């Protein structure tokens, strides 16, 4: 989704809730990737592609280690997302955090749209750089006029539906049985 659509907010809340349920969940976002591993990259199309490639490879390694990895990136180009998908096609779920430009610009949580409109941020997605919306994402989460809790329910429901929360249900049953035996 666009800047301000709710990716970071939802990613961190999802991470928190999964952690409380006993899962190893980890958010990859601009803060921990753009400032470190990808600190050498700009926002040109080539560098955006390279950034998403690095994020995808790191996410794949975390996923191999048993984590539920939540990547909160704009990733504006369809081709970059398709390449990410190709690394682990069975595990990759494209989640479109959906709010239109008008709504995102109204929120402008970091004041970035204002700066972009004033020409102070070059290549800003939605303003001076393209955004290719997902065509067939695994999940669409509309965020306008909805609470964070409602959006998280959508994502939890999706994880449940696709069997990612089974381990928890099994562990839950085990704990219940043990309590019953005592
Ligand atoms: P992004 O990471 O996509 O750039 P952020 O999460 O940084 O977006 O900002 C989204 C803003 O929208 C926050 O200020 C958040 O409080 C607000 N917001 C309003 N409704 C929602 C919602 N349903 N889900 C997520 N964020 C929401």
């Amino acid at each position: 989704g666009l800047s301000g659509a709710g990716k970071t907010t939802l990613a961190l809340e999802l991470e928190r809730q999964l952690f409380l349920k006993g899962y190893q969940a980890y958010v990859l976002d601009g803060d921990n990737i753009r400032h470190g591993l990808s600190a050498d990259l700009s926002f040109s199309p080539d560098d955006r592609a390279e950034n998403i490639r690095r994020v995808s490879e790191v996410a794949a390694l975390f996923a191999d280690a048993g984590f539920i990895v939540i990547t909160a990136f704009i990733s504006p180009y369809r081709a970059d997302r398709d390449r990410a998908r190709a690394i682990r096609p069975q595990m990759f779920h494209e989640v479109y955090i959906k709010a239109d430009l008008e709504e995102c610009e109204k929120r402008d949580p970091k004041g970035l749209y204002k700066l972009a409109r004033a020409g102070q941020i070059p290549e800003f997605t939605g303003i001076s750089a393209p955004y290719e919306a997902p065509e067939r994402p695994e999940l669409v989460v509309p965020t306008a006029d909805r609470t964070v809790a409602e959006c998280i329910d959508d994502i939890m429901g999706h994880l449940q539906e696709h069997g990612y929360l089974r381990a928890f249900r099994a562990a839950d049953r085990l704990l219940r049985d043990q309590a019953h035996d005592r």
Side-chain angles (χ1 to χ4, degrees):
L2 292 166
S3 177
K7 299 179 295 297
T8 308
T9 305
L10 294 174
L12 293 175
E13 179 58 16
L14 181 66
E15 180 189 54
R16 196 181 72 86
Q17 291 199 16
L18 286 170
F19 179 80
L20 290 174
K21 287 182 193 293
Y23 290 96
Q24 303 194 95
Y26 190 58
V27 173
L28 298 176
D29 63 9
D31 280 344
N32 56 22
I33 294 285
R34 273 281 181 185
H35 296 161
L37 181 63
S38 290
D40 56 322
L41 300 177
S42 75
F43 290 87
S44 70
D46 279 357
D47 278 8
R48 282 181 193 265
E50 175 58 13
N51 181 51
I52 295 304
R53 188 190 72 78
R54 291 180 193 178
V55 168
S56 315
E57 294 290 352
V58 172
L61 295 179
F62 269 91
D64 289 346
F67 280 75
I68 296 175
V69 194
I70 308 154
T71 63
F73 290 90
I74 295 186
S75 186
Y77 298 110
R78 229 164 259 143
D80 295 345
R81 298 193 297 264
D82 289 345
R83 267 194 295 276
R85 180 188 295 276
I87 295 173
R88 293 287 186 285
Q90 314 87 334
M91 300 179 183
F92 181 89
H93 290 250
E94 186 172 1
V95 180
Y96 181 17
I97 305 300
K98 189 175 180 185
D100 62 22
L101 186 61
E102 199 187 340
E103 169 73 16
C104 293
E105 202 162 354
K106 195 171 71 193
R107 290 179 185 171
D108 206 3
K110 296 175 203 141
L112 297 177
Y113 282 98
K114 214 167 165 213
L115 289 174
R117 287 285 184 201
Q120 289 177 36
I121 307 178
E123 303 187 270
F124 193 80
T125 299
I127 305 288
S128 46
Y131 179 68
E132 298 174 0
E135 280 174 339
R136 278 184 303 276
E138 272 73 10
L139 181 66
V140 181
V141 181
T143 65
D145 302 315
R146 296 184 75 211
T147 64
V148 169
E150 284 170 330
C151 297
I152 293 289
D153 281 352
D154 290 355
I155 305 172
M156 282 292 186
H158 179 83
L159 287 172
Q160 186 102 42
E161 216 172 278
H162 288 81
Y164 288 94
L165 303 188
R166 248 181 238 135
F168 173 64
R169 287 208 302 275
D172 204 31
R173 209 173 304 124
L174 193 69
L175 287 172
R176 242 192 354 253
D177 291 350
Q178 281 175 354
H180 190 254
D181 289 346
R182 259 189 249 120

